[in-house]
Amino acid sequence: MPGMREWIRNLSGRTELLLVLLIAFGTTVPASLGALLSPETLAHRATPPITNGALQGTIVYELVILIILAMFLRARGWTLERLGIRPTFADGLLGIGIASRTTSSMWCS
């Protein structure tokens, strides 16, 4: 889609920032502010506000948003190198170690 890619590349930096913020936080910030400003709506629910299903839905939603933002930013010319991110094999091992330590500490408490 060369027409769409060119349109995305021609957006201003300010528009890029606004779109990324709206896409990333456009639904979560208002919902969080609503819960903060009106906590009684959460306190008097028949079910808890966070369930396994709700958590799984949030994970899927955030993965979809991540993919959309990654495609948008890639079209804008952003790369991991440009952001100064250079993952290595050692970083992966460190991440696995942190994840396993966190998981084991959850099961032990």
Side-chain angles (χ1 to χ4, degrees), residues 5 8 11 15-28 60-80 83:
R5 185 171 294 226
I8 290 173
L11 294 173
T15 303
E16 175 186 352
L17 175 65
L18 181 63
L19 280 172
V20 168
L21 289 175
L22 284 174
I23 292 169
F25 305 113
T27 59
T28 56
V60 170
Y61 170 78
E62 289 181 356
L63 286 173
V64 169
I65 294 299
L66 174 66
I67 292 167
I68 291 169
L69 284 175
M71 289 176 11
F72 173 75
L73 291 172
R74 180 77 173 175
R76 294 278 297 163
W78 289 96
T79 62
L80 292 178
L83 294 171

Side-chain angles (χ1 to χ4, degrees), residues 19-101:
L19 280 172
V20 168
L21 289 175
L22 284 174
I23 292 169
F25 305 113
T27 59
T28 56
V29 169
S32 296
L33 287 174
L36 176 69
L37 298 174
S38 183
E40 65 276 355
T41 59
L42 294 177
H44 300 296
R45 292 176 60 162
T47 60
I50 299 175
T51 62
N52 285 340
L55 185 58
Q56 290 169 349
T58 298
I59 291 169
V60 170
Y61 170 78
E62 289 181 356
L63 286 173
V64 169
I65 294 299
L66 174 66
I67 292 167
I68 291 169
L69 284 175
M71 289 176 11
F72 173 75
L73 291 172
R74 180 77 173 175
R76 294 278 297 163
W78 289 96
T79 62
L80 292 178
E81 267 189 28
R82 186 173 172 196
L83 294 171
I85 300 171
R86 292 179 185 86
T88 64
F89 182 73
D91 294 334
L93 290 177
L94 181 63
I96 291 170
I98 291 171
S100 64
R101 174 70 179 150

